[in-house]
Amino acid sequence: MVKAKEQKSSKAKAQSRYSEIISEVFRRHHKKGDRRFGFERKELAEIAAEKGIELPKNQGDTIYSFKYRASLPASITDTAPEGFEWIIAGAGVAKYEFKLVKPLNISPREHQLVVKIPDATPEIIGAHALGDEQALLAKVRYNRLIDIFLGITASSLQNHLRTTVQGIGQIEIDELYVGIDRSGSQYVVPVQAKGGKDKHGRQQTEQDIACCRQKFPALRCRPVSAQFMTNNRIAMFELTEQDGDIRVVSEEHYELVPASSISAEDLAIYSSKKKA
């Protein structure tokens, strides 16, 4: 309990340092009316030195934190026009930019039909998963949820793929699948894994799509975001890019259950859904 409190306090202190540094970066570059502007990673160290702030060993974690985990400080968010929000995006190796975008709100629909799937996750995996993201990726993989959701035969190519994308810089894809359908068409499927409180990220989807276009130009890219609703209920979204924005192509909710828990009534519902 004491150790958990110490870890929480340490994270809070780190986040406070990150906020002070990123606020100063924004202040130095932002001009009224700007919709986007760039900065470089080296500025973080310069600001930390000037202000006597202990810089994190991994300087990139400051940026990563605000791109995927934490909200930007109020000193930044309060400058955004109504209907827009500031985000930090990659703009090359060790280069980034602030830009205004419309908020992306992708969350599981409350009254979506839940499809029960016989749980094929090995019990030992559930017992030793080291976090929500790893547990979710494992359940998606062992239960072949990508195949079921997209209607293709898919295989995991690599998880936590770190690579560099031209014009963006270094990115990380939670898990990357490749697949094929009955006609022989081939696909590349970048997967985002989100815990119950995590939000789906515009930037991660945009980066995943850009990466697939560069690395796998012959394959059709079908980005997927998977989110834990409960420990065994998973919402899955197929996403795409349209008119410069991220859109939801389809959404399904799956619940991993013992095979004996799936009733004849459940199967009849799924059968009628397929015909519709």
Side-chain angles (χ1 to χ4, degrees):
M1 189 71 174
V2 173
K3 187 176 181 180
K5 286 183 179 179
E6 289 176 349
Q7 289 177 338
K8 188 175 182 179
S9 175
S10 177
K11 287 182 179 178
K13 288 178 181 177
Q15 196 59 51
S16 177
R17 297 201 309 269
Y18 295 170
S19 294
E20 189 172 353
I21 292 170
I22 206 68
S23 293
E24 181 62 17
V25 171
F26 187 88
R27 188 192 67 77
R28 292 185 180 188
H29 290 279
H30 177 250
K31 296 180 180 63
K32 189 174 181 179
D34 282 348
R35 301 189 69 83
R36 64 195 304 167
F37 53 89
F39 65 97
E40 298 184 21
R41 184 187 299 174
K42 65 181 182 181
E43 296 179 47
L44 306 179
E46 293 169 358
I47 291 170
E50 290 174 14
K51 291 181 168 290
I53 300 172
E54 182 183 354
L55 194 68
K57 292 181 181 178
N58 179 8
Q59 293 184 33
D61 191 54
T62 304
I63 301 299
Y64 187 90
S65 173
F66 292 115
K67 285 176 72 175
Y68 303 118
R69 294 196 301 261
S71 299
L72 287 164
S75 60
I76 295 175
T77 59
D78 289 349
T79 68
E82 185 175 353
F84 288 85
E85 64 182 3
W86 286 107
I87 64 169
I88 299 175
V93 178
K95 294 181 179 180
Y96 309 94
E97 66 174 2
F98 280 98
K99 64 179 182 178
L100 283 171
V101 298
K102 291 183 178 179
L104 178 69
N105 182 20
I106 297 176
S107 55
R109 288 186 288 188
E110 186 175 351
H111 300 293
Q112 177 78 18
L113 174 70
V114 178
V115 177
K116 296 177 182 177
I117 303 291
D119 191 358
T121 312
E123 289 190 12
I124 194 169
I125 296 293
H128 298 289
L130 296 178
D132 274 0
E133 182 182 310
Q134 286 300 317
L136 179 53
L137 289 172
K139 290 185 177 186
V140 168
R141 192 182 314 119
Y142 280 106
N143 291 281
R144 303 200 70 88
L145 294 186
I146 297 298
D147 303 49
I148 294 168
F149 180 48
L150 297 181
I152 64 177
T153 299
S155 301
S156 175
L157 182 66
Q158 188 173 342
N159 61 12
H160 292 288
L161 169 64
R162 290 188 176 183
T163 186
T164 300
V165 177
Q166 186 177 358
I168 295 177
Q170 188 179 73
I171 71 163
E172 182 175 322
I173 297 176
D174 292 343
E175 187 146 13
L176 190 68
Y177 287 75
V178 287
I180 189 169
D181 66 17
R182 61 186 295 176
S183 69
S185 297
Q186 295 188 20
Y187 305 86
V188 57
V189 183
V191 177
Q192 291 186 50
K194 301 297 178 186
K197 294 181 180 180
D198 292 341
K199 294 182 179 180
H200 299 275
R202 171 197 305 275
Q203 294 175 74
Q204 189 165 356
T205 299
E206 290 174 341
Q207 291 174 175
D208 290 353
I209 291 172
C211 175
C212 291
R213 284 174 178 165
Q214 289 183 25
K215 310 290 186 185
F216 306 94
L219 306 186
R220 179 184 166 192
C221 180
R222 300 182 69 179
V224 168
S225 191
Q227 181 171 8
F228 267 143
M229 299 174 68
T230 65
N231 190 42
N232 282 314
R233 185 172 291 188
I234 299 168
M236 298 189 70
F237 303 87
E238 181 181 359
L239 307 172
T240 192
E241 198 171 30
Q242 182 184 50
D243 299 328
D245 206 354
I246 300 300
R247 312 279 184 177
V248 177
V249 177
S250 60
E251 175 184 354
E252 295 287 353
H253 297 180
Y254 300 109
E255 186 169 11
L256 306 178
V257 300
S260 59
S261 298
I262 304 175
S263 66
E265 182 182 4
D266 291 326
L267 295 177
I269 292 172
Y270 306 152
S271 179
S272 64
K273 178 188 175 188
K274 184 177 180 181
K275 291 175 183 177

